[in-house]
């Protein structure tokens, strides 16, 4: 068995069933009339260019539930959660699921089918009244917090306050189920020594940005918290754990940002087709099964089509083979380029803002390459084979913005730049999106890209090989687990680079065959 299982969260991520009305209701899993689909927020949080960010409302987003394997024989009693369901029933004033039960698998607390479930069954329901939102802030604390404090920080404060209240907490059983510091493997909790293992990946810098963001938010709430004697002892580490619990578990719903003490405990599976719905009329959230389940099968949730970069930073786990992997590369205009200023000005004025695969703005020299599924199934890996595509998923090959940037870089005269600008104005304003008329220049631009990607591949390959030489600074299993996660991350991004390299080589071969060299 691998150090970290395919498709599953580490044991610190628990599974608790969601309550529902006793009467089963068959529902078309693709019907969203009068209902809103909810989305996890963590995939939208990190920005590559700014430490400030907003969480947009996104409705009608599909979420997916499935089982990866028959869990019979693995579902053992979770003694720590025996009192959780009765507590939740009393708090919700409703019967908790009649078809789901809490158990433990090798991956920790999990959710299992306790009886046969049919596709279309409504298996989970959780009233809005037992969802945690900023409205749950104690009035005396809410009155002190500045309006500039973001929703994520407010939810983190709620968790910290409830934790400090201990036995008097209104949410005690839920707070006790949240992972503690040593159980979290997001890179924001990695040591400098561990973080250096992924220095080659953009996740390294994104981790530093996220930690700086959390430190800034903590500094903003500390003066208010210090006015309460019981909260004076809250540390940055405490705040980071609570902050992570929010960003990795909260959902964007019609009510805004919410922690839902059922859905957020489900483990991850990236291949199913169910949805989680928010019913504003009934004031509840519900989950519809997308397939049949036999008793004893584990029910999982899909966090979205996320690459390992997002899964590791936002949730603290990776997949050994992630079909949604992507890689970030950067190109720069050399300072010794005599046309440096002209090229920079042209790119800034005529190139649309570049966005990555999940809509985050990137700097003008940052590009995201990701894979594109084809209809061919890989017999050896059991996954759809993939090739490179643009971040928006349109067409095949490398992102058009990346190829356009390369065409601008390879211009050697002011006239060539002027021709590109004129062509852009005549079409749709987008710069250098068409192949250059001069095949030699088009070949040169893509050869430059090929060399850049080959160089990146060599660095990734060296980083992966160095992981085998890294020694654990302690005797705990934590380092070995994180080293495996680093390997999954780097291997996936290298796989994308190799796919991009193959595409470029094929394109250059075709281009070279069209070039008419002068005869001697």
């Amino acid at each position: 068995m691998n150090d970290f299982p395919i498709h599953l969260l580490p044991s610190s991520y628990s599974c608790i069933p969601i309550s529902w009305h006793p009467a089963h209701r068959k529902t078309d899993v693709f019907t969203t009339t009068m209902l809103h689909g909810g989305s996890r927020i963590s995939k939208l949080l990190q920005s590559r260019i700014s430490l400030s960010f907003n969480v947009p409302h996104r409705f009608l987003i599909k979420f997916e539930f499935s089982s990866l394997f028959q869990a019979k024989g693995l579902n053992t009693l979770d003694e720590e959660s025996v009192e959780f369901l009765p507590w939740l029933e009393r708090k919700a004033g409703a019967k908790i699921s009649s078809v789901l039960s809490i158990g433990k698998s090798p991956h920790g607390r999990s959710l299992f089918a306790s009886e046969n479930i049919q596709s279309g069954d409504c298996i989970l329901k959780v009233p809005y009244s037992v969802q945690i939102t900023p409205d749950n802030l104690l009035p005396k604390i809410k009155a002190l917090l500045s309006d500039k404090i973001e929703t994520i920080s407010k939810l983190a404060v709620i968790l910290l306050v409830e934790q400090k209240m201990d036995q008097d907490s209104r949410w005690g059983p839920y707070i006790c189920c949240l992972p503690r510091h040593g159980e979290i493997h997001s890179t924001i909790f990695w040591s400098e020594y561990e973080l250096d293992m992924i220095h080659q990946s953009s996740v390294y810098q994104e981790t530093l940005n996220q930690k700086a963001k959390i430190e800034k938010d903590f500094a903003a709430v500390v003066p208010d918290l210090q006015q309460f004697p019981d909260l004076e002892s809250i540390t940055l580490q405490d705040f980071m754990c609570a902050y992570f619990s929010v960003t990795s578990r909260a959902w964007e719903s019609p009510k805004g940002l919410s922690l839902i003490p059922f859905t957020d405990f489900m483990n991850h599976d990236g291949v199913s087709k169910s949805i989680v719905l928010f019913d504003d009329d009934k004031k509840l959230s519900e989950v519809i099964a997308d397939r049949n389940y036999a008793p004893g099968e584990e029910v999982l949730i899909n966090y979205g089509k996320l690459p390992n970069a997002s899964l590791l930073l936002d949730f603290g786990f990776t997949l050994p083979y992630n079909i949604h992997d992507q890689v970030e590369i950067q190109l720069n205009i050399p300072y010794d380029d005599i046309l440096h200023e002209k090229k920079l000005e042209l790119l800034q004025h005529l190139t649309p803002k570049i966005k990555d695969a999940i809509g985050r703005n990137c700097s003008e020299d940052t590009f995201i390459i990701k894979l594109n599924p084809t209809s061919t199934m890989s017999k050896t890996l059991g996954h759809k084979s993939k090739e490179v595509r643009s971040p928006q998923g349109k067409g095949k090959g490398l992102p058009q913005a990346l190829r356009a940037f390369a065409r601008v870089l390879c211009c050697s005269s002011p006239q060539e730049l002027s021709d590109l600008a004129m062509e852009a104005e005549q079409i749709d304003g987008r710069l250098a999106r068409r192949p250059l008329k001069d095949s030699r220049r088009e070949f040169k631009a893509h050869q430059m890209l090929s060399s850049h990607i080959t160089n990146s591949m060599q660095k990734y390959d060296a980083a992966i090989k160095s992981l085998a030489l890294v020694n654990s600074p302690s005797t705990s299993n934590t380092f070995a687990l994180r080293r495996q996660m680093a390997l999954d991350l780097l291997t996936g991004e290298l796989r994308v680079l190799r796919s991009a390299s193959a595409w470029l080589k094929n394109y250059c071969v075709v281009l070279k065959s069209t070039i008419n060299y002068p005869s001697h």
Side-chain angles (χ1 to χ4, degrees):
M1 180 179 292
N2 292 327
D3 289 332
F4 199 77
I6 296 178
H7 294 296
L8 297 173
L9 283 169
S11 59
S12 60
Y13 292 81
S14 306
C15 284
I16 308 295
I18 297 179
S19 63
W20 69 305
H21 194 275
H24 286 220
R25 178 165 64 86
K26 291 278 187 174
T27 306
D28 182 348
V29 297
F30 298 108
T31 299
T32 57
T33 306
M34 301 295 291
L35 301 174
H36 302 290
S39 65
R40 295 302 289 265
I41 66 162
S42 55
K43 64 183 178 181
L44 306 173
L45 293 180
Q46 280 66 41
S47 170
R48 290 182 170 86
I49 60 173
S50 173
L51 293 182
S52 61
F53 54 85
N54 297 314
V55 182
H57 288 272
R58 294 197 173 191
F59 300 132
L60 302 178
I61 304 294
K62 288 187 178 181
F63 280 80
E64 306 163 2
F65 296 72
S66 182
S67 172
L68 293 175
F69 57 89
Q70 284 279 5
K72 294 181 179 179
L74 299 177
N75 183 4
T76 58
L77 179 65
D78 182 4
E79 296 180 356
E80 295 177 357
S81 298
V82 169
E83 296 301 321
F84 186 89
L85 293 180
W87 166 80
L88 197 55
E89 289 177 346
R90 294 191 297 271
K91 195 171 186 66
K95 174 66 177 177
I96 303 303
S97 177
S98 299
V99 295
L100 296 168
S101 62
I102 307 169
K104 284 188 176 180
S105 72
H107 318 291
R109 186 175 291 119
S110 305
L111 181 66
F112 295 88
S114 57
E115 61 180 65
N116 288 318
I117 296 174
Q118 301 298 313
S119 177
D121 283 352
C122 182
I123 58 174
L124 306 172
K125 285 180 185 256
V126 52
Y128 287 173
S129 61
V130 290
Q131 299 181 17
I132 302 176
T133 71
D135 292 337
N136 293 105
L137 271 171
L138 294 175
K140 58 184 179 180
I141 296 180
K142 188 175 183 179
L144 286 176
L145 290 180
S146 167
D147 292 336
K148 296 181 180 180
I149 302 299
E150 297 176 347
T151 301
I152 294 173
S153 293
K154 290 179 180 178
L155 286 173
V157 169
I158 291 174
L159 297 182
L160 291 170
V161 170
E162 295 296 334
Q163 188 178 41
K164 290 293 183 181
M165 292 177 69
D166 199 17
Q167 298 297 324
D168 295 327
S169 170
R170 300 164 297 171
W171 298 95
Y174 174 69
I175 300 299
C176 290
C177 289
L178 297 178
R180 299 296 184 257
H181 177 265
E183 302 170 326
I184 303 173
H185 298 290
S186 164
T187 50
I188 64 173
F189 295 98
W190 287 22
S191 67
E192 291 184 13
Y193 183 78
E194 292 168 333
L195 200 56
D196 193 57
M197 294 188 295
I198 59 169
H199 194 277
Q200 187 59 37
S201 173
S202 61
V203 177
Y204 177 86
Q205 185 58 49
E206 290 181 13
T207 299
L208 299 182
N209 293 347
Q210 181 69 344
K211 291 179 69 174
K213 165 63 178 171
I214 294 173
E215 291 173 5
K216 179 181 178 181
D217 287 359
F218 179 63
V221 301
V222 162
D224 297 327
L225 297 182
Q226 288 180 338
Q227 298 188 43
F228 298 90
D230 293 339
L231 303 180
E232 287 181 331
S233 62
I234 291 177
T235 65
L236 174 60
Q237 180 174 293
D238 295 331
F239 185 77
M240 285 183 68
C241 289
Y243 197 99
F244 172 80
S245 291
V246 175
T247 57
S248 63
R249 311 174 88 86
W251 296 75
E252 182 64 20
S253 71
K255 289 188 65 180
L257 203 56
S258 306
L259 286 166
I260 309 175
F262 300 120
T263 310
D264 66 354
F265 286 139
M266 293 181 179
N267 289 330
H268 176 62
D269 172 12
V271 298
S272 61
K273 299 295 179 183
S274 286
I275 54 178
V276 58
L277 298 172
F278 293 87
D279 190 327
D280 285 342
D281 293 333
K282 297 180 180 179
K283 305 300 180 185
L284 54 80
S285 306
E286 62 183 32
V287 174
I288 310 299
D290 73 320
R291 70 168 186 82
N292 298 340
Y293 290 92
E297 285 191 280
E298 185 178 1
V299 181
L300 307 170
I301 189 171
N302 189 327
Y303 293 169
K305 297 179 179 180
L306 301 177
N308 274 340
S310 295
L311 294 178
L312 183 54
L313 177 60
D314 297 342
F315 300 98
F317 73 101
T318 55
L319 305 180
Y321 183 89
N322 190 339
I323 60 176
H324 303 299
D325 266 333
Q326 62 186 35
V327 65
E328 177 181 305
I329 66 171
Q330 290 186 322
L331 291 178
N332 299 294
I333 304 172
Y335 284 105
D336 58 357
D337 188 333
I338 60 174
L339 298 175
H340 180 275
E341 294 302 322
K342 291 184 179 296
K343 290 178 180 179
L344 186 61
E345 181 180 2
L346 187 63
L347 287 166
Q348 289 176 338
H349 284 83
L350 291 180
T351 302
K353 198 69 174 179
I354 299 165
K355 291 190 176 183
D356 71 5
I358 55 177
R360 300 180 290 197
N361 286 328
C362 299
S363 59
E364 285 78 2
D365 61 352
T366 301
F367 303 88
I368 305 298
I369 303 176
K370 69 178 301 182
L371 299 172
N372 182 44
T374 67
S375 59
T376 304
M377 296 297 293
S378 170
K379 295 182 180 179
T380 57
L381 291 173
H383 296 279
K384 291 184 178 180
S385 61
K386 294 194 142 203
E387 58 187 9
V388 294
R389 68 169 177 181
S390 68
Q392 291 73 28
K394 299 178 180 179
K396 297 180 179 180
L398 296 177
Q400 287 294 333
L402 172 60
R403 300 171 66 190
F405 197 99
R407 291 175 183 128
V408 173
L409 282 184
C410 289
C411 287
S412 57
S413 70
Q415 184 59 50
E416 290 176 355
L417 291 174
S418 178
D419 290 344
L420 288 179
M422 185 177 299
E423 180 185 65
E425 292 176 357
Q426 293 173 349
I427 306 173
D428 58 4
R430 296 190 301 171
L431 183 66
R433 293 306 178 99
R434 291 183 174 181
L436 297 173
K437 296 177 181 179
D438 186 336
S439 296
R440 290 184 180 85
R441 289 174 54 207
E442 179 76 355
F443 178 80
K444 179 182 177 183
H446 286 78
Q447 274 286 87
M448 182 271 294
L449 274 183
S450 182
S451 296
H452 184 84
I453 289 178
T454 297
N455 183 53
S456 294
M457 288 168 55
Q458 292 171 348
K459 292 179 179 179
Y460 267 86
D461 190 57
I464 291 171
K465 290 179 179 178
S466 70
L467 288 178
L469 305 176
V470 176
N471 295 316
S472 173
S474 67
T475 58
S476 70
N477 294 327
T478 298
F479 180 80
L481 176 60
R482 292 177 178 178
R483 180 168 56 185
Q484 181 62 45
M485 292 177 182
L487 179 62
D488 291 341
L489 173 70
L490 297 177
T491 301
E493 294 184 348
L494 176 58
R495 184 169 59 248
V496 180
L497 288 172
R498 284 174 175 163
S499 178
S501 177
W503 188 94
L504 278 167
K505 288 179 180 178
N506 289 335
Y507 185 73
C508 287
V509 167
V510 173
L511 275 178
K512 195 171 184 179
S513 66
T514 65
I515 298 175
N516 295 318
Y517 292 97
S519 57
H520 296 285

